[in-house]
Amino acid sequence: MTTNETSDVSLSPDAGRQMKSVHRQMWALGDYHRFAASTVWQLGPVLVEACGVSAGQRVLDVAAGSGNVAIRAAIRGATVVASDLTTANFAAGMRAAAAAGVALEWREADAEALPFKDGEFDVVTSCFGAMFAPDHRATANELLRVCRPGGTIGMMNFTPGGTGGEFFELLGRYAPPPPPGVLPPVLWGREQHVQSLFGDGVASLDLRRNEYIETAASVRGYCELFQETFGPMVAIRASLAGQPDRLAALDREFFEFVARWNRGTPERVEIPYEYLLVIARRR
Ligand SMILES: C[S@@+](CC[C@H](N)C(=O)[O-])C[C@H]1O[C@@H](n2cnc3c(N)ncnc32)[C@H](O)[C@@H]1O
């Protein structure tokens, strides 16, 4: 995976459609809610707080997964739509929402073509979600379009240089190459890229690099969590079933990656992830 900010080749509509069909299946593999609950679940309230979500607001969470941000916005009293390309994780999200005593709407939606009216939402959020849609510009335009003038767009995006960037680079070396014209998702973690995508569609753009920590009881346990629950890892490992040497190399590299980034101890693994917190005010 490279981190070029632009591509000389533009993504063809057919290639984009095909990629999204692969993504829809890939994110349904494993057990996304178990994965999220053990890793990124701590960030939903952080994004909701950073966006200043309050009771009575209408909030759209894009690429919501099982509702990490959406459920937390609903707990604050907002009227929330959780949208995602992959509907397979909604059932787990509905159970988590019911356990939290809130109700929200769950809608199938591609971040590049959101099925909502112009300016329909006060706040539009996406935590490590919209960054995965292949057409970055179309995605940025849609986030802007559905947010009302003066409203807030809040995103969390992995940065290219951090653990997330290295993790997706590692996975990318074992996956089929993406079609020409696809930009790496982690470009959404680079300030200049976000500035260029939102352009004069925003009145202000607050960009901050932050860090959060994923924990586990052992390096092996952390690796097993990904191998059992994280859709992209499950898909790539399944595609290597007929190549045991390559599968073993992926598992070994991933184990080494986790051991190298571990800032804790062998008994309490702590992996730091850098992300770009994006808070934009719609012009
Ligand atoms: C890492 S998960 C993040 C989910 C959630 N935001 C969270 O914090 O747990 C990435 C999500 O992006 C979704 N996704 C990928 N491409 C998408 C697209 N083009 N449109 C909408 N959702 C997409 C996947 O289905 C998946 O649920």
Side-chain angles (χ1 to χ4, degrees), residues 57 119-122 144-152 282-283:
Q57 284 187 321
E120 202 176 322
F121 298 94
D122 301 301
L144 288 168
R145 184 184 64 75
V146 300
C147 185
R148 69 160 168 82
T152 302
R282 178 79 171 92
R283 188 175 293 284

Side-chain angles (χ1 to χ4, degrees), residues 20 23-24 26-28 32 35-36 40-41 43-44 61-69 83-87 89 109-112 114 126-134 139 158 168 230:
K20 283 183 281 189
H23 281 184
R24 191 178 281 112
M26 179 179 83
W27 288 104
Y32 184 73
F35 174 80
V40 294
W41 208 247
L43 293 173
D61 188 28
V62 175
S66 58
N68 181 16
V69 181
S83 69
D84 201 290
L85 189 64
T86 307
T87 57
N89 300 312
D110 176 2
E112 296 174 7
L114 294 168
S126 195
C127 173
F128 307 138
M131 62 180 288
F132 291 105
T139 300
F158 288 116
F168 286 111
F230 187 64

Side-chain angles (χ1 to χ4, degrees), residues 6-197:
T6 56
S7 171
D8 294 338
V9 191
S10 56
L11 178 69
S12 78
D14 269 0
R17 264 192 298 276
Q18 204 199 328
M19 231 186 129
K20 283 183 281 189
S21 140
V22 169
H23 281 184
R24 191 178 281 112
Q25 291 165 35
M26 179 179 83
W27 288 104
L29 296 173
D31 181 345
Y32 184 73
H33 186 59
R34 178 151 82 91
F35 174 80
S38 309
T39 55
V40 294
W41 208 247
Q42 57 188 294
L43 293 173
V46 178
L47 187 54
V48 163
E49 175 69 27
C51 291
V53 171
S54 59
Q57 284 187 321
R58 198 160 155 76
V59 175
L60 173 67
D61 188 28
V62 175
S66 58
N68 181 16
V69 181
I71 292 170
R72 275 47 181 272
I75 289 171
R76 285 235 178 163
T79 302
V80 183
V81 181
S83 69
D84 201 290
L85 189 64
T86 307
T87 57
N89 300 312
F90 287 176
M94 286 174 201
R95 285 192 294 274
V102 292
L104 38 147
E105 186 184 334
W106 299 83
R107 282 282 293 276
E108 178 172 355
D110 176 2
E112 296 174 7
L114 294 168
F116 306 107
K117 294 198 212 76
D118 295 0
E120 202 176 322
F121 298 94
D122 301 301
V123 180
V124 179
T125 56
S126 195
C127 173
F128 307 138
M131 62 180 288
F132 291 105
D135 188 333
H136 296 197
R137 192 156 293 282
T139 300
N141 289 343
E142 282 296 86
L143 299 178
L144 288 168
R145 184 184 64 75
V146 300
C147 185
R148 69 160 168 82
T152 302
I153 299 167
M155 301 179 81
M156 286 173 163
N157 302 324
F158 288 116
T159 57
T163 331
E166 189 179 324
F167 169 66
F168 286 111
E169 189 274 330
L170 191 167
L171 276 191
R173 278 189 280 110
Y174 290 89
V182 172
L183 295 173
V186 291
L187 273 188
W188 271 103
R190 190 171 279 172
E191 291 82 351
Q192 280 166 302
H193 190 64
V194 177
Q195 278 156 354
S196 118
L197 289 175

